[in-house]
């Protein structure tokens, strides 16, 4: 509306809206009366309108319910149900069964076998014959891929925290085939394979996602880890079944597969002509993992003397591995608490997917003994940036290893480049070796004047000379790598990628030599100073480089990328989420990195551990007590044994559970057949009517690095007296519904005290989804002597983990 020139306010339609709505409703009635329709027509129209409106709302409600079910199936299925109403086997895993794919593979497998038979006989057989003079009579006598098709046991899809233009699938591939492949050379040498077993995780990346048909630019496939392989040999190759030789032959075959299909190698099928296949096959790594193998403690002794009568120690060494990259530490002789203080650097390509594996062995002359293993998920390390922890070893009775992990990002920022200290790498170059062109067939074809006389002398022989089989050797400092060999061409195509760690960009060079395999001579050389990459766009050089000591038009095409290694600061609100945060407490990464600059922190001694209460972060508003104050209260309760229960309770518990809390807990205890004495009756203590005496302090947190639930029993306070000397309490824990004796966790016994301090930690190997459905059954018991009629049960409580935030962790009484 336009106002008048006087600047008067516009007319407001707010009060007129009800009147307009009433006129709109009465208008159909007026029209019906105007054209002479009766009341029945008006009622019929009103009925049709009500029916239409109800049908419309019902349809919208069904659509809305279907959309909610699609977005969060688990929430909709469990809506209205509490966690204890669902059976333990009900869960919503992120790995799904895909039986329909297995049915499709089973149906297509015979036709795939026919295609592979033609491929072996028409393509592979001529290539083998041409590769060597002695293999001219090589023949496939039988190629049959059997009736059993590969099976996919599960598929996990990654669509969150990944690029929006890609979909990542992890296929748990299992192939136990009855294939039979026989070969023969001159009817004298027969060999073959009769049965293969392959197990591994195959990652499939659909990227980039396009807006046009076929909607996916390429399919990239690779194994995340080396697959498990077992082959049944026949014929002459039966010699490979000899013990010792079998492991070596299978290992060589697995290494051969790894050189093509295990990270960092990828196999790419382009589906669109507008896709850069090189970038998909050789992407820039996600980061660098720097592993400090510091020390270990409490390793199990494996060396024995006098046929096991006398137990000695161990000679431990460690194998640190990420995918195909592995390092072996030095061996520490006769030591169960070795100190290595070694550092290793790994190139990380896929997170999630790649894990850090640490295996400890006792070195022996015949066979090395196993001392424990450890697997760390790198997704948590990438988030925390720095982790300095003691990690308990799996599959052994005792032992832990001290690791310091650093996640370094790859930045295209020359200003972040720092000087090398202690021999650490400051940068990394990625070299994509594409191809070469116009290579000379021999070093006599060089254009240098010193070969002019020799060129004329050997002109006739050079005309009949074969094309060279060339490969490339690259050097950066003391490290050298060799490419594959391209046979019989002066324009070879390699398409391989290599990575080098750099300590001093300003001083080091990339030296490249193109060599001929059968002539043992260099067909061309290139020396590239790395500091030239600092001034290039995006610190990248993608071009054809002319070769020296080669033909006049000889060049090599490469893409060289320089990236600076830098430990980025995480989110300031990020809390240290290491496996042993129960031990160190909540420490911000930024503050932790500042503390590390003053020196490495050694693990506290046992006496120091007994003097502290371990705790983890808590963010729930209902728990307003700080753990520092809780620790002080426990120490006060533990040191002042002579204080009365009322005085101790007043000092230690300003917030005490009331009777309603006990009544709310009682039905669940009765349902678990707990004895009456396991729950303390407030009426038994006349000095504290309406107050529950006896509490246990626990810390619970799920450790993503270990994929386990960590429960720390810190201490107890104000326990009931069971005998004249007090009590000998200990804490027993079950993770319900598992009540097996083998899964029971138990603390040590504290003698003659009602306020024990334990500081003991226990680990339950369960998934995060499963842990959120479990319940902790915690009981405090008195260790009474045999035949005693004293009280055993001192108290019991249940902790429903579905109501707690175990991701962040919590500590409570």
């Amino acid at each position: 509306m336009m106002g008048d020139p006087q600047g008067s306010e516009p007319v407001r339609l707010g009060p007129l809206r009800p009147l307009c709505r009433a006129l709109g409703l009465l208008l159909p009635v007026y029209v019906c009366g105007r054209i002479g329709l009766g009341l029945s027509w008006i009622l019929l129209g009103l009925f049709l309108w009500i029916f239409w409106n109800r049908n419309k709302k019902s349809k919208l409600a069904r659509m809305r319910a279907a959309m909610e079910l699609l977005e969060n199936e688990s929430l909709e299925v469990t809506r209205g149900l509490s966690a204890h109403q669902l059976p333990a086997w009900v869960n919503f895993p992120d790995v799904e069964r895909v039986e329909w794919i297995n049915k499709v593979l089973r149906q297509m497998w015979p036709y795939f076998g026919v295609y592979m038979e033609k491929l072996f006989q028409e393509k592979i057989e001529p290539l083998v014959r041409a590769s060597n003079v002695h293999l001219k009579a090589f023949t496939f006598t039988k190629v049959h891929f059997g009736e059993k098709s590969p099976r996919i046991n599960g598929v996990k899809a990654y669509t969150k925290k990944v690029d929006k233009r890609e979909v990542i699938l992890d296929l748990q591939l299992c192939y136990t085939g009855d294939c039979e492949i026989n070969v023969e050379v001159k009817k004298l040498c027969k060999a073959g394979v009769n049965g293969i077993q392959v197990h591994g995780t195959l990652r499939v990346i659909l990227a980039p996602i396009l807006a046009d048909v076929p909607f996916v630019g390429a399919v990239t496939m690779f194994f995340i880890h080396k697959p498990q392989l077992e082959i049944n040999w026949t014929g002459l190759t039966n010699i490979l079944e000899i013990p010792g030789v079998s492991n070596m032959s299978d290992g060589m075959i697995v290494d051969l597969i790894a050189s093509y299909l295990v990270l960092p190698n990828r196999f790419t099928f382009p589906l669109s002509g507008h896709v850069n296949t090189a970038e998909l096959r050789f992407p820039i790594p996600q980061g660098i993992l720097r592993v400090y193998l510091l020390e270990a403690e409490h390793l199990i002794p494996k060396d024995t003397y006098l046929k096991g009568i006398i137990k000695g120690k161990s000679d431990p060494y460690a194998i640190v591995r990420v995918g195909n990259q592995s390092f072996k530490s030095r061996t520490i002789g006769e030591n169960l608490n070795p100190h290595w203080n070694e550092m290793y650097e790994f190139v990380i390509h896929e997170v999630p997917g790649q894990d850090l594996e640490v295996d400890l062995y006792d070195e022996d002359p015949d066979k090395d003994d196993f001392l424990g293993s450890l697997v760390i998920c790198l997704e948590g390390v990438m988030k925390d940036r720095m982790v300095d922890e003691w990690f308990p070893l799996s599959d052994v009775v005792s032992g832990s290893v001290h690791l310091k992990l650093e996640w370094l990002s790859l930045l295209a920022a020359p200003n972040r480049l720092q000087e090398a200290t202690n021999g650490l790498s400051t940068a990394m170059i990625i070299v994509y070796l594409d191809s070469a062109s116009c290579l000379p067939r021999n070093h006599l074809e060089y254009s240098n004047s010193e070969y002019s006389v020799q060129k004329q002398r050997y002109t006739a022989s050079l005309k009949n000379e074969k094309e060279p089989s060339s490969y490339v050797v690259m050097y950066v400092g003391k490290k050298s790598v060799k490419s594959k060999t391209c046979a019989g061409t002066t324009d070879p195509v390699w398409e391989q990628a290599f990575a080098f760690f750099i300590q001093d960009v300003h001083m080091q060079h990339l030296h490249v030599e193109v060599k001929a395999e059968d002539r043992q001579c260099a067909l061309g050389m290139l020396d590239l100073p790395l500091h030239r990459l600092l001034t290039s766009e995006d610190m990248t050089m993608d071009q054809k480089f002319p070769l020296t000591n080669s033909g006049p038009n000889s060049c090599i095409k490469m893409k060289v990328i320089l990236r600076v290694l830098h430990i980025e600061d995480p989110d300031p609100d990020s809390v240290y989420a290491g496996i042993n945060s129960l031990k160190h407490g909540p420490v911000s990464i930024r503050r932790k990195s500042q503390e590390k600059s003053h020196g490495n922190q050694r693990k506290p001694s046992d006496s120091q551990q007994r003097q502290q209460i371990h705790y983890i972060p808590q963010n729930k508003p209902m728990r307003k007590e700080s753990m520092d104050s809780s620790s002080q209260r426990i120490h006060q309760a533990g040191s002042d044994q002579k204080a009365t229960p009322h005085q101790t309770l007043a000092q230690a518990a300003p917030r005490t559970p009331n009777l309603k809390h006990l009544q709310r807990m009682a039905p669940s205890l009765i349902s678990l057949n707990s004895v009456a004495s396991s729950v303390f009756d407030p009426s038994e203590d006349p000095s504290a009517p309406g107050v529950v005496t006896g509490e246990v302090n626990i810390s619970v947190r799920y450790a993503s690095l270990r994929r386990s639930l960590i429960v720390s029993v810190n201490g107890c306070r104000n326990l009931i007296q069971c005998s004249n000397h007090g009590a000998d309490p200990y804490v027993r824990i079950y993770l319900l519904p598992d009540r097996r004796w083998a899964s029971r966790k138990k603390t040590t016994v504290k003698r003659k005290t009602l306020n024990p301090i334990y500081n003991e930690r226990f680990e339950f190997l369960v998934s995060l989804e499963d842990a959120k459905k479990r319940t902790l059954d915690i009981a405090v018991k008195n260790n009474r002597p045999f035949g005693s009629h004293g009280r055993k049960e001192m108290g019991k409580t249940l902790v429903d983990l579905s109501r707690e935030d175990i991701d962040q962790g919590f500590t409570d009484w």
Side-chain angles (χ1 to χ4, degrees):
M1 299 179 59
M2 296 181 59
D4 56 1
Q6 302 296 330
S8 60
E9 295 183 358
V11 180
R12 298 178 181 232
L13 296 179
L16 299 179
R17 288 180 180 176
L19 179 60
C20 295
R21 187 177 302 170
L23 292 177
L25 294 176
L26 294 176
L27 181 61
V29 179
Y30 171 77
V31 172
C32 291
R34 185 70 178 175
I35 61 179
L37 297 178
L39 181 62
S40 59
W41 290 98
I42 298 176
L43 295 177
L44 179 62
L46 182 62
F47 173 76
L48 292 176
W49 180 81
I50 294 175
F51 181 77
W52 173 84
N53 189 34
R54 181 177 298 176
N55 188 34
K56 187 72 174 177
K57 290 182 178 179
S58 177
K59 183 180 293 186
L60 291 176
R62 291 195 301 270
M63 292 288 293
R64 186 165 53 252
M67 293 296 293
E68 292 177 355
L69 180 63
L70 182 64
E71 292 179 357
N72 196 336
E73 181 182 4
S74 62
L75 178 62
E76 294 301 318
V77 171
T78 58
R79 177 175 290 180
L81 298 174
S82 58
H84 66 273
Q85 292 176 314
L86 290 174
W89 50 265
V90 175
N91 58 3
F92 299 89
D94 51 0
V95 179
E96 304 174 359
R97 295 186 63 185
V98 283
E99 287 301 321
W100 65 273
I101 294 183
N102 294 323
K103 292 179 181 179
V104 171
L105 287 176
R106 196 178 304 116
Q107 197 76 4
M108 296 177 59
W109 186 247
Y111 303 95
F112 175 78
V114 173
Y115 169 77
M116 293 301 295
E117 291 176 13
K118 294 181 180 179
L119 180 65
F120 271 69
Q121 294 175 353
E122 298 177 2
K123 300 290 185 182
I124 299 180
E125 186 176 298
L127 291 176
V128 175
R129 290 180 177 180
S131 63
N132 196 298
V133 179
H134 303 287
L135 296 176
K136 288 184 178 181
F138 178 87
T139 306
F140 283 103
T141 58
K142 185 176 182 179
V143 178
H144 180 58
F145 275 79
E147 303 297 332
K148 296 181 179 180
S149 63
R151 177 178 177 81
I152 298 176
N153 294 329
V155 174
K156 182 176 182 179
Y158 299 90
T159 56
K160 297 180 180 179
K161 298 182 180 179
V162 298
D163 194 340
K164 293 183 178 180
R165 297 189 62 191
E166 70 178 10
V167 176
I168 300 178
L169 303 174
D170 280 350
L171 310 181
Q172 297 179 359
L173 184 64
C174 173
Y175 176 55
T176 305
D178 54 347
C179 64
E180 186 175 357
I181 303 175
N182 297 328
V183 299
E184 184 179 285
V185 180
K186 294 183 180 180
K187 297 184 180 181
L188 298 176
C189 177
K190 296 181 180 181
V193 173
N194 186 9
I196 297 178
Q197 294 186 29
V198 180
H199 303 271
T201 301
L202 182 68
R203 172 159 292 188
V204 179
I205 300 179
L206 308 178
I209 299 177
L210 307 175
D212 300 323
V213 178
F215 302 112
V216 176
V219 179
T220 303
M221 305 170 60
F222 54 87
F223 283 97
I224 298 179
H225 308 286
K226 287 184 179 181
Q228 298 179 4
L229 178 67
E230 186 173 346
I231 302 175
N232 183 29
W233 302 99
T234 61
L236 183 63
T237 50
N238 271 322
I239 193 175
L240 299 179
E241 300 289 354
I242 299 175
V245 179
S246 176
N247 295 334
M248 182 178 64
S249 62
D250 291 348
M252 293 175 62
I253 296 175
V254 171
D255 292 340
L256 182 63
I257 297 175
S259 63
Y260 289 95
L261 282 179
V262 179
L263 273 178
N265 306 287
R266 303 167 186 244
F267 199 72
T268 303
F269 300 91
L271 303 179
S272 175
H274 304 287
V275 175
N276 189 347
T277 309
E279 292 184 358
L280 296 175
R281 289 188 61 192
F282 309 105
I284 297 178
Q286 293 192 8
I288 303 300
L289 178 67
R290 187 173 288 167
V291 180
Y292 294 87
L293 178 63
L294 301 179
E295 54 185 324
E297 67 174 8
H298 305 316
L299 298 180
I300 56 177
K302 284 292 184 178
D303 295 337
T304 58
Y305 307 97
L306 298 178
K307 295 184 179 181
I309 299 178
I310 301 176
K311 288 189 176 181
K313 296 184 178 181
S314 295
D315 304 321
Y317 69 90
I319 296 179
V320 186
R321 178 174 53 251
V322 176
N324 282 343
Q325 312 167 74
S326 64
F327 296 94
K328 179 180 177 182
S329 71
R330 58 191 174 95
T331 302
I332 307 297
E334 295 292 328
N335 199 326
L336 299 180
N337 300 285
H339 292 258
W340 289 287
N341 294 321
E342 297 180 3
M343 186 273 294
Y344 316 104
E345 293 177 322
F346 296 93
V347 181
I348 307 301
H349 298 270
E350 292 289 330
V351 176
Q354 291 185 289
D355 297 329
L356 173 64
E357 304 174 28
V358 181
D359 297 326
L360 268 65
Y361 293 94
D362 168 40
E363 188 174 50
D364 288 326
D366 49 356
K367 183 180 179 180
D368 296 345
D369 297 319
F370 179 71
L371 297 179
S373 63
L374 173 66
V375 179
I376 300 176
C377 179
L378 296 183
E379 191 173 3
V381 180
M382 183 176 65
K383 178 181 177 181
D384 291 342
R385 307 296 181 185
M386 292 183 62
V387 175
D388 190 353
E389 292 294 340
W390 282 88
F391 294 90
L393 296 173
S394 302
D395 304 324
V396 288
V397 178
S398 66
S400 58
V401 59
H402 187 190
L403 298 177
K404 179 182 177 182
L405 310 177
E406 295 179 351
W407 181 270
L408 294 93
S409 301
L410 303 177
L411 306 179
N415 57 340
R416 296 292 184 91
L417 188 63
Q418 301 177 355
E419 295 184 1
T421 57
N422 299 327
L424 298 178
S425 303
T426 60
M428 186 180 73
I429 62 168
I430 302 114
V431 182
Y432 172 62
L433 177 62
D434 190 346
S435 60
S437 58
C438 302
L439 291 179
R441 289 176 295 177
N442 200 307
H443 65 284
L444 297 180
E445 292 188 9
Y446 291 170
S447 58
N448 300 31
S449 58
E450 58 182 300
Y451 294 113
S452 58
V453 178
Q454 297 179 358
K455 285 173 61 179
Q456 296 175 2
R457 183 182 305 172
Y458 294 100
T459 300
S461 61
L462 289 174
K463 290 181 180 180
N464 299 325
E465 193 172 9
K466 295 181 179 180
E467 303 291 338
S469 297
S470 56
Y471 61 92
V472 175
V473 180
M474 297 184 184
Y475 303 88
V476 174
K478 297 181 180 180
K479 181 180 178 181
S480 64
V481 294
K482 178 183 176 182
S483 72
K484 63 182 181 181
T485 302
C486 291
T489 177
T490 58
D491 300 314
V493 177
W494 294 286
E495 293 185 341
Q496 289 183 275
F498 306 95
F500 299 89
F501 288 104
I502 307 301
Q503 296 182 0
D504 192 345
V505 177
H506 299 281
M507 298 297 295
Q508 292 184 281
H509 294 235
L510 171 64
H511 185 72
V512 181
E513 291 185 6
V514 183
K515 294 186 176 182
E517 186 177 39
D518 52 348
R519 298 173 179 83
Q520 296 298 323
C521 61
L523 302 180
M525 291 183 291
L526 170 67
D527 190 78
L528 177 64
L530 297 182
H531 64 81
R532 290 176 52 186
L533 294 166
L534 296 174
T535 57
S536 303
E537 182 179 0
D538 195 31
M539 301 175 67
T540 302
M541 298 180 68
D542 187 3
Q543 64 186 59
K544 291 183 178 181
F545 298 89
L547 294 173
T548 60
N549 294 339
S550 185
N553 299 320
S554 299
C555 61
I556 185 169
K557 184 179 180 182
M558 296 189 307
K559 182 178 182 180
V560 186
I561 304 172
L562 176 64
R563 290 294 181 264
V564 177
L565 304 184
H566 180 70
I567 301 179
E568 295 184 308
D569 291 334
D571 186 354
D573 297 331
S574 175
V575 176
Y576 183 57
I579 178 68
N580 288 342
S581 56
L582 296 175
K583 183 178 296 184
H584 297 290
V587 182
S588 172
I589 293 294
R590 183 167 298 180
R591 193 183 70 192
K592 189 179 181 69
S593 61
Q594 294 175 357
E595 294 175 355
K596 294 300 177 184
S597 62
H598 299 291
N600 294 331
Q601 298 290 336
R602 293 296 301 269
K603 182 180 178 182
S605 61
D606 294 339
S607 60
Q608 292 173 340
Q609 292 182 12
R610 285 192 289 267
Q611 294 175 2
Q612 62 179 354
I613 289 295
H614 303 158
Y615 59 91
I616 55 178
Q618 53 179 343
N619 297 323
K620 296 195 174 184
M622 65 183 67
R623 298 187 178 115
K624 297 181 180 179
E625 298 180 49
S626 67
M627 285 308 303
D628 294 335
S629 59
S630 299
S631 302
Q632 296 175 1
R633 295 181 190 120
I634 284 188
H635 291 308
Q636 291 175 1
S639 60
D640 191 6
Q641 297 287 341
K642 297 181 180 181
T644 63
H646 180 73
Q647 293 173 346
T648 306
L649 183 63
Q651 296 175 359
R655 181 180 62 83
T656 308
N658 53 22
L659 285 176
K660 294 181 180 180
H661 174 76
L662 183 63
Q663 294 172 359
R664 185 172 62 250
M665 188 172 57
S668 60
L669 294 175
I670 296 174
S671 64
L672 292 173
N673 300 322
S674 60
V675 295
S677 62
S678 64
V679 180
F680 178 66
D681 187 359
S683 61
E684 294 183 8
D685 188 5
S687 63
V691 176
V692 178
T693 59
E695 291 178 299
V696 57
N697 184 269
I698 64 169
S699 301
V700 182
R701 184 183 181 279
Y702 189 81
S704 58
L705 294 179
R706 289 284 297 164
R707 297 189 182 98
S708 60
L709 182 71
I710 306 297
V711 180
S712 177
V713 180
N714 302 323
C716 300
R717 63 186 179 188
N718 305 327
L719 299 179
I720 58 176
Q721 188 167 346
C722 299
S723 62
N724 294 332
H725 66 269
D728 299 333
Y730 67 91
V731 180
R732 187 267 301 149
I733 303 177
Y734 283 117
L735 184 61
L736 300 181
D738 188 1
R739 299 183 66 86
R740 295 175 301 168
W741 181 267
S743 61
R744 186 185 73 148
K745 308 296 182 182
K746 175 184 173 183
T747 65
T748 57
V749 179
K750 300 297 181 180
R751 301 290 179 182
K752 299 180 181 181
T753 177
L754 299 180
N755 300 280
I757 297 176
Y758 297 102
N759 289 332
E760 297 185 30
R761 190 192 67 186
F762 305 99
E763 181 176 348
F764 296 90
L765 297 176
V766 294
S767 63
L768 178 60
E769 294 78 8
D770 190 16
K772 290 182 178 180
K773 298 179 181 179
R774 299 291 193 97
T775 300
L776 283 175
D777 180 2
I778 303 174
V780 182
K781 298 187 177 184
N782 177 37
N783 186 37
R784 60 184 182 182
F786 179 75
S788 173
H789 298 285
R791 184 171 187 160
K792 181 178 181 180
E793 307 290 339
M794 304 180 67
K796 184 176 181 179
T797 184
L798 298 178
V799 180
D800 188 358
L801 299 182
S802 63
R803 301 182 181 180
E804 306 290 346
D805 187 5
I806 60 177
D807 293 325
Q808 296 294 330
F810 66 91
T811 300
D812 202 4
W813 289 92

